Amino acid sequence: MKIHSLSDIPAWLFYPLKTWTDSSYNHYNLFLSLIMIEVLFALGAWWYLYKKIGKSDERTDRIYLRATMLCFVVVIACESIFPTEYLLKQFEVLKYGIGMLAADIYLFVVYRRSN
């Protein structure tokens, strides 16, 4: 696959993944399982850090707002990187999982700094 413009880069990056998942049902199921494990891990980490940082007050509201903003920015960045022609729902779940992981990393750093 040759790159002729910037819009060809996502296809160049993710087309091998598409061919791999299309080659077998086991590959497709493995891809879905890894995405779901990543999302569940991100949700669990977010819940744990939410409980550790504390209840809503002036300090924690700013922390949660910044974490949400970071998650949103990462999802927007992933929107421009991931392809829109194939594996749409799988990449959508992966985008939100990556955004939640970025927010988790931010919450973890803030939690470590405050202690």
Side-chain angles (χ1 to χ4, degrees):
M1 184 166 220
K2 295 190 183 207
I3 300 174
H4 298 291
S5 68
L6 287 176
S7 63
D8 294 338
I9 292 175
W12 175 74
L13 284 173
F14 296 105
Y15 191 75
L17 181 65
K18 178 193 180 299
T19 57
W20 180 74
T21 56
D22 287 345
S23 67
S24 170
Y25 288 116
N26 290 334
H27 294 164
Y28 183 75
N29 290 334
L30 178 66
F31 181 62
L32 285 179
S33 300
L34 291 175
I35 290 174
M36 289 310 297
I37 289 170
E38 183 247 343
V39 168
L40 290 174
F41 174 77
L43 278 173
W46 177 83
W47 181 79
Y48 175 77
L49 290 167
Y50 180 79
K51 292 293 182 186
K52 283 292 191 183
I53 290 176
K55 294 187 180 185
S56 182
D57 61 4
E58 292 175 3
R59 181 186 69 89
T60 59
D61 283 344
R62 289 182 59 209
I63 293 170
Y64 296 142
L65 185 62
R66 286 184 182 163
T68 305
M69 181 193 66
L70 179 65
C71 180
F72 181 67
V73 167
V74 169
V75 167
I76 297 271
C78 288
E79 188 72 37
S80 64
I81 295 170
F82 288 152
T84 58
E85 293 88 27
Y86 47 85
L87 298 173
L88 297 176
K89 294 297 178 188
Q90 292 80 10
F91 282 129
E92 187 175 330
V93 172
L94 185 62
K95 282 187 287 194
Y96 292 121
I98 291 171
M100 288 178 0
L101 276 177
D104 289 343
I105 292 169
Y106 174 75
L107 288 174
F108 182 74
V109 168
V110 168
Y111 174 69
R112 283 292 185 186
R113 265 192 212 149
S114 66
N115 287 341

